Amino acid sequence: MRGTIRGAGAPCGVCPSDAGGKAAGCALARERSSLSARRAFLRAALVLGAGLSLPPAAFAEDDKHDASALPPQPGDHFAYLPGDKEGEVKVKDLAVGGPQVMAYPMDPKSRLVRDGSRLNLVILMRFDPAVLSAETRANAAKGVVAYSAVCTHQGCPVSMWSTERKAPFCSCHGSIYDLKDGAQVLDGPAPRPLPALPVRLENGALAVAGKFTGRVGSQI
């Protein structure tokens, strides 16, 4: 994979423990990102934490009493990942065609950011609505799509960006996803597309419109 890479990178030591030394395809091994990009990944990696290799069910007992760990709720807006930008993600802030923006759902009334679960991390991207597949368009708002940012391979964050492919890819093993077509896997070891998160416009703001369309997290 060639081309300018933006987003986060990190040594393969951030991969889940079962990846061992087999992360030969690690994106950083092919191309190093900028210092700010590495910091962005580290923030995401800290969120995903040691639970990357565990199934979502393993988090349910700990998370169910914590409002910040609840999955995205209908009506939630989106907040930038800490350290990226302050405040709420606006449609006008998203560049058409990418790169993706990493965010968390946020209760618009209490301003509570749901960053208490590593499974709540999402990626937002804006397209010309005409290029979206019919299924993708049904879950989009004004060309903006939202998906889980947790790779379906081994749970690393999908925080890197390839200008050549015009698509985001996993920071650990390079799985590439086509966000304009249901996050289908274009390349890499990921076994399934990323689950979509339906969105809508609510008084001009981007809001969650439903549940993730599939199970979030590692699916191997």
Side-chain angles (χ1 to χ4, degrees), residues 57-77:
F59 308 127
E61 189 62 30
D62 291 337
D63 292 349
K64 66 182 180 181
H65 300 300
D66 182 357
S68 72
L70 289 174
Q73 301 294 298
D76 277 356
H77 292 187

Side-chain angles (χ1 to χ4, degrees), residues 95-209:
V96 177
Q100 79 274 28
V101 167
M102 302 186 75
Y104 283 111
M106 175 185 70
D107 184 318
K109 294 181 179 178
S110 67
R111 311 301 286 181
L112 174 72
V113 178
R114 302 192 195 281
D115 58 359
S117 170
R118 73 285 295 160
L119 299 179
N120 285 346
L121 193 62
V122 300
I123 49 179
L124 303 171
M125 193 165 163
R126 185 180 178 189
F127 294 95
D128 177 346
V131 306
L132 299 177
S133 67
E135 180 180 0
T136 303
R137 195 179 305 119
N139 290 321
K142 205 173 181 178
V144 177
V145 296
Y147 294 91
S148 168
V150 184
C151 184
T152 61
H153 177 225
Q154 291 186 342
C156 292
V158 184
S159 56
M160 302 289 282
W161 174 256
S162 170
T163 55
E164 182 182 37
R165 302 294 292 270
K166 295 187 178 352
F169 66 97
C170 175
S171 53
C172 288
H173 303 102
S175 293
I176 306 173
Y177 295 94
D178 184 358
L179 300 194
K180 65 182 181 297
D181 186 17
Q184 296 295 320
V185 180
L186 295 175
D187 198 1
R192 294 180 179 85
L194 297 170
L197 182 65
V199 292
R200 64 175 184 252
L201 288 181
E202 190 175 83
N203 297 322
L206 188 65
V208 176

Side-chain angles (χ1 to χ4, degrees), residues 4-85:
T4 304
I5 294 179
R6 297 184 60 189
C12 291
V14 302
C15 301
S17 58
D18 59 352
K22 298 181 179 179
C26 186
L28 184 63
R30 294 189 292 273
E31 198 165 341
R32 291 186 178 275
S33 60
S34 66
L35 178 59
S36 61
R38 291 197 297 270
R39 287 174 177 166
F41 170 69
L42 288 174
R43 288 193 295 271
L46 286 173
V47 171
L48 292 176
L52 286 172
S53 59
L54 297 177
F59 308 127
E61 189 62 30
D62 291 337
D63 292 349
K64 66 182 180 181
H65 300 300
D66 182 357
S68 72
L70 289 174
Q73 301 294 298
D76 277 356
H77 292 187
F78 295 93
Y80 285 100
L81 205 64
D84 286 349
K85 289 180 69 174

